Amino acid sequence: MAHTETINGQNGSNWQLTLPDQITLTQSGIAPGGPFFLDAAHPTLTFSVHYDAATAISLGTTNSPLTMVFQDIVGEGEDANPANGFLGPVDLVIYNELGVPIGVPGGNTFQLFLDDASPAKNDAINDPSGHPIYTHFHTPTAGYGNFVATPGTFSGAGTPGAFSKIDLAGQQPASGADLGSITLHARDLPNSDDSFSWNIQPGAQFLTDADRATFSFTADGAKVAGTAYSGPVTYLQWQLLGADKGEIVIGTTKNDFVNLLGGDDAADAGAGDDVIDGGRGSNFLTGGSGKDVFFLDGRSGGVTWGTITDWQAGEELSLWGWRPGISRAEWVDQAGAPGFQGATMHADLDGDGSTDASVTFSNLTRGQLPTPTQHDGLLWFH
């Protein structure tokens, strides 16, 4: 997804900036949402770049940069003066929220390059050597001491101190690293569409399949970005909240919280110490490697049946809705779906003589399971 901001330059020149949601703008003294300014009279305009799971999933594995398009509002503030348009400091702050290193494979960690975005010009899009003379970076300041400015091939005469591309060579910035200030200069000429794009590499192509597996779920065959877990369990890292429908989910290789809500679902949480809540309905739950916690909820008023396919010693099951002195449990040695049968507990939670919740421990006997303890609202296997 993308959002649009208004950027005002010098002498009344204006651009509409379209940028990915993972890039946000801030400027001292300017309210969120702008309009923002890039001129000699205002403070540095800060671009915060977030490398998060949603970014990586949306960009896929292709060699795609993060692209910001500055659309020239033709007829506003145009002037042949070279100092017109944009001429001001911009700041780049990087946030790495993926938990894996970021960088262009086989090259520099970061690369910034400018590109003509106007169809009136004859440059190739995403060609860092093909941008017009009218748009460039000026020599990086001391704050960019690790950047190397690379002279570009301009569509006009060369401009001393102006560069189409800047590389951050061999450095892995920490999350939240402020990489310093650089001057962006974009001229706004009369009767000319001077639109351009600012591109940031890497996009997402730096991620290996193993990297992606640390933060991406698979839901019904499609890759889905996990969101950072923000609940009370300190060791959990990513979460996926399902919908009230049947779903098939594969977890990440980290510690996940998976809640599939209603419907008949199947979940394989994968590696890591996971918490898996199948929700209502009939659910097949696989914890994978690690020590996992399973939830079975009998409070919905319907019938819930959970099948745990790979229960291991040291894992936990919480059956919600248990009422000591009222709820009753009946055990069957072998029950459940063919191929997944095992010791099965049927629970009458409200004492009316009918089953409200069942759980099958595939390929296990009752003697291989821990004796549950009763609590107000909970029957706990641990």
Side-chain angles (χ1 to χ4, degrees):
M1 300 294 291
H3 61 112
T4 302
E5 307 285 1
T6 298
I7 311 291
N8 295 326
Q10 303 189 122
N11 301 330
S13 59
N14 291 319
W15 273 263
Q16 291 294 116
L17 171 59
T18 302
L19 63 168
D21 284 343
Q22 60 265 25
I23 302 179
T24 57
L25 300 185
T26 53
Q27 191 169 33
S28 179
I30 303 298
F36 299 97
F37 296 85
L38 197 55
D39 57 22
H42 287 83
T44 299
L45 180 60
T46 297
F47 291 74
S48 296
V49 185
H50 296 261
Y51 286 88
D52 56 20
T55 301
I57 293 295
S58 66
L59 288 174
T61 58
T62 59
N63 188 13
S64 301
L66 299 176
T67 298
M68 298 177 283
V69 177
F70 293 78
Q71 182 66 46
D72 180 21
I73 307 301
V74 178
E76 294 188 8
E78 296 175 335
D79 192 330
N81 185 341
N84 189 41
F86 287 159
L87 182 58
V90 295
D91 196 10
L92 194 66
V93 182
I94 303 298
Y95 295 89
N96 179 7
E97 300 164 7
L98 293 172
V100 296
I102 53 180
V104 178
N108 299 299
T109 301
F110 279 93
Q111 180 186 95
L112 314 178
F113 66 89
L114 298 170
D115 182 26
D116 172 35
S118 168
K121 307 284 196 310
N122 294 318
D123 303 301
I125 298 299
N126 292 332
D127 177 5
S129 66
H131 79 292
I133 189 174
Y134 313 114
T135 306
H136 46 252
F137 297 115
H138 282 225
T139 304
T141 66
Y144 269 70
N146 291 299
F147 277 93
V148 178
T150 305
T153 302
F154 298 92
S155 55
T159 303
F163 303 92
S164 63
K165 183 176 66 174
I166 300 175
D167 293 334
L168 173 60
Q171 183 183 353
Q172 177 64 51
S175 186
D178 188 335
L179 300 183
S181 180
I182 188 172
T183 298
L184 175 61
H185 187 185
R187 302 183 190 180
D188 192 5
L189 301 180
N191 304 311
S192 174
D193 182 355
D194 296 308
S195 303
F196 67 97
S197 66
W198 180 8
N199 303 275
I200 301 175
Q201 290 278 32
Q205 80 285 357
F206 63 92
L207 296 167
T208 66
D209 288 342
D211 289 334
R212 291 175 186 279
T214 66
F215 60 80
S216 59
F217 293 83
T218 300
D220 296 336
K223 288 291 184 183
V224 177
T227 57
Y229 176 79
S230 58
V233 183
T234 57
Y235 65 84
L236 292 177
Q237 296 167 280
W238 299 102
Q239 70 179 20
L240 178 68
L241 305 181
D244 283 322
K245 64 175 186 176
E247 296 172 287
I248 300 175
V249 170
I250 299 174
T252 79
T253 57
K254 299 297 184 179
N255 301 333
D256 302 328
F257 173 57
V258 180
N259 187 345
L260 298 180
L261 301 179
D264 297 338
D265 307 303
D268 181 346
D273 298 333
D274 307 304
V275 177
I276 313 165
D277 186 345
R280 302 178 300 276
S282 177
N283 304 295
F284 281 77
L285 308 177
T286 300
S289 60
K291 299 298 183 183
D292 304 305
V293 176
F294 301 90
F295 289 165
L296 182 64
D297 199 336
R299 297 171 294 184
S300 66
V303 177
T304 298
W305 191 322
T307 299
I308 301 174
T309 67
D310 65 342
W311 176 273
Q312 304 174 60
E315 296 189 324
E316 300 178 27
L317 166 65
S318 294
L319 171 58
W320 303 102
W322 186 267
R323 300 161 64 185
I326 297 176
S327 301
R328 296 288 184 270
E330 176 184 342
W331 284 88
V332 178
D333 290 338
Q334 286 290 308
F340 296 93
Q341 293 179 324
T344 299
M345 184 190 73
H346 299 296
D348 172 10
L349 299 177
D350 55 11
D352 67 354
S354 61
T355 297
D356 302 297
S358 299
V359 58
T360 295
F361 299 87
S362 296
N363 302 310
L364 295 177
T365 65
R366 186 177 178 185
Q368 295 173 287
L369 301 173
T371 300
T373 57
Q374 300 186 56
H375 306 269
D376 187 17
L378 170 68
L379 184 66
W380 186 23
F381 292 77
H382 59 101

